């Protein structure tokens, strides 16, 4: 596992880019996977990464596993690649913007949330 300073920095970065609460993310994952005929069980809703992000949000820093650290790095890198964190979010204008927002929300980042 990463040393304490690296883990502290990763924890801060992760919680900076994941701007949805665990309740917001859980609700989004359920809505995202629901269709006209069925809705998945809450623990089965969303992508494996989305479910893992949700699990991390419900943990204390001292309880992180190596798998958690890998997912945190992946989320920080992915959100960093897709979002300019320094600028204000722009409203969605195209279907591609909506798909991008939904992909980010699956990782716990809502680009329209202040």
């Amino acid at each position: 596992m990463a040393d304490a300073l690296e883990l502290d920095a990763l924890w801060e970065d992760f919680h900076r880019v994941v701007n949805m609460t665990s309740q917001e993310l859980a609700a989004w994952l359920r809505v995202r996977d629901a269709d006209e005929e069925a809705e998945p069980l809450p623990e089965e809703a969303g992508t494996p990464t989305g479910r893992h992000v949700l699990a991390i949000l419900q943990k204390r820093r001292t309880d992180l596993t190596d798998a958690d650290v890998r997912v945190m790095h992946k989320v920080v890198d992915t959100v960093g690649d897709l979002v300019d964190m320094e600028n204000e979010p722009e409203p969605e204008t195209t279907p591609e913007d909506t798909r991008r927002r939904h992909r980010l929300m699956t990782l716990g980042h809502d680009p329209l949330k202040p």
Side-chain angles (χ1 to χ4, degrees):
M1 188 171 295
D3 71 25
L5 288 176
E6 289 175 7
L7 188 57
D8 287 347
L10 177 60
W11 180 263
E12 295 301 320
D13 287 344
F14 178 79
H15 283 87
R16 178 179 50 82
V17 301
V18 175
N19 63 358
M20 296 171 72
T21 66
S22 59
Q23 294 85 6
E24 291 169 332
L25 179 56
W28 167 249
L29 294 175
R30 284 191 306 273
V31 166
R32 180 189 169 278
D33 277 3
D35 62 25
E36 291 179 14
E37 298 180 20
E39 182 175 331
L41 296 171
E43 64 274 1
E44 296 174 3
T47 64
T49 302
R51 289 193 305 268
H52 202 145
V53 169
L54 181 59
I56 292 168
L57 288 174
Q58 297 168 340
K59 289 185 175 189
R60 296 175 303 175
R61 186 182 334 203
T62 57
D63 297 331
L64 295 174
T65 65
D66 288 338
D68 295 337
V69 170
R70 283 190 298 277
V71 168
M72 290 169 71
H73 276 294
K74 176 181 177 181
V75 168
V76 169
D77 291 345
T78 301
V79 172
D81 289 346
L82 296 175
V83 176
D84 181 358
M85 299 295 289
E86 302 300 318
N87 294 319
E88 292 291 318
E90 295 182 20
E92 299 173 26
T93 57
T94 67
E96 186 173 318
D97 291 336
T98 301
R99 282 191 297 277
R100 179 180 155 277
R101 178 178 183 226
H102 290 176
R103 178 176 177 213
L104 287 165
M105 288 175 67
T106 299
L107 298 175
H109 179 82
D110 184 349
L112 299 182
K113 189 174 179 182

